[in-house]
Amino acid sequence: MTKTVVHLLRHGEVYNPAKILYGRLPGYRLSGLGEQMAEVVARTLADHDITYIAASPLERAQQTAMPLAALLGLEVHTDDRLIESLNYFEGRSVSPGDGALANPRYWYRLRNPFTPSWGEPYRDVAARMLAAMQEARRVAEGHEAVLVSHQLPIWMARRFAEGRKLWHDPRRRECTLASLTSFRFDGATLAGIDYREPAKSLSTRSDPANKGA
């Protein structure tokens, strides 16, 4: 069967001096460290047989895709299905103890962690991510594709593909900044999933407030 790989790449560190949950808000771009992460990933993938690159429309994802696209001479396609998940707390501080989550007026939004009640349903996130991945697989058939997205959407795609429950503890997500979650296909059949952190040495220097989503 034809072997194809679809890499889900999480964006690099974002400049977030206000320390808020920025979600889909415009204007949140990579920090200087985030730009370095994007360059490291580009060098890591330079010798791969990549024929298709797409990214979420958000600035941080587009920026993360650019060094790789420039290195390979490819266009960055924009795919809205790769965008960050909707979240009611977007634009607010959600720091433990002193953020919006500590305010009783918002607790109703936290009533159901399974859907979840504070944002876009997990199943909807997984469905749109898988649709984007299948299109990328078809376009890059026999080669490799890179899709630049965000932590929760990537994690939902992985958990769904692995047959796991979608609700989870966010602290246990295996999807660090500038990480690669790679889906290997034989034809249209998923053959395996690999995970690696090419910018791990840089991630240890990241400001927790800038890790975002």
Side-chain angles (χ1 to χ4, degrees):
M1 289 186 179
T2 303
K3 297 184 182 296
T4 308
V5 180
V6 178
H7 303 280
L8 298 186
L9 168 59
R10 186 184 172 195
H11 63 80
E13 185 195 73
V14 175
Y15 180 61
N16 180 23
K19 297 178 172 36
I20 65 168
L21 180 68
Y22 42 78
R24 295 184 178 185
L25 294 175
Y28 280 85
R29 301 174 60 82
L30 296 182
S31 66
L33 186 61
E35 292 175 353
Q36 292 179 47
M37 291 177 177
E39 294 286 351
V40 168
V41 174
R43 292 194 295 270
T44 298
L45 295 175
D47 61 349
H48 284 244
D49 185 21
I50 295 166
T51 59
Y52 179 76
I53 301 173
S56 155
L58 297 175
E59 291 97 323
R60 56 192 183 272
Q62 294 282 324
Q63 280 185 285
T64 301
M66 286 176 185
L68 179 62
L71 192 62
L72 300 179
L74 295 174
E75 175 185 357
V76 177
H77 299 269
T78 298
D79 191 331
D80 291 341
R81 294 171 295 190
L82 301 173
I83 199 168
E84 176 60 289
S85 305
L86 284 169
N87 193 306
Y88 177 80
F89 293 100
E90 181 180 284
R92 298 179 174 90
S93 170
V94 291
S95 300
D98 61 356
L101 302 185
N103 190 329
R105 67 180 290 192
Y106 297 125
W107 289 352
Y108 181 74
R109 287 287 176 179
L110 305 175
R111 69 191 182 279
N112 183 355
F114 303 105
T115 304
S117 54
W118 56 82
E120 185 178 4
Y122 290 144
R123 286 195 173 276
D124 292 354
V125 178
R128 61 178 170 82
M129 287 294 293
L130 292 170
M133 290 167 58
Q134 286 297 340
E135 180 176 335
R137 180 193 60 78
R138 290 191 295 269
V139 172
E141 188 171 11
H143 305 279
E144 300 180 37
V146 174
L147 305 181
V148 186
S149 188
H150 309 266
Q151 186 187 67
L152 178 59
I154 293 172
W155 190 236
M156 289 298 92
R158 178 174 173 181
R159 288 184 72 90
F160 187 93
E162 293 176 338
R164 292 195 277 169
K165 294 177 180 177
L166 299 184
W167 61 271
H168 62 285
D169 181 345
R171 296 168 297 182
R172 297 182 178 275
R173 294 174 187 164
E174 188 178 39
C175 188
T176 63
L177 292 167
S179 61
L180 287 163
T181 304
S182 304
F183 294 72
R184 292 179 280 107
F185 292 91
D186 287 337
T189 303
L190 181 63
I193 301 174
D194 302 310
Y195 175 77
R196 56 179 167 154
E197 301 173 359
K200 185 175 182 177
S201 62
L202 294 175
S203 293
T204 60
R205 293 162 44 194
S206 178
D207 180 348
N210 291 341
K211 290 188 176 180

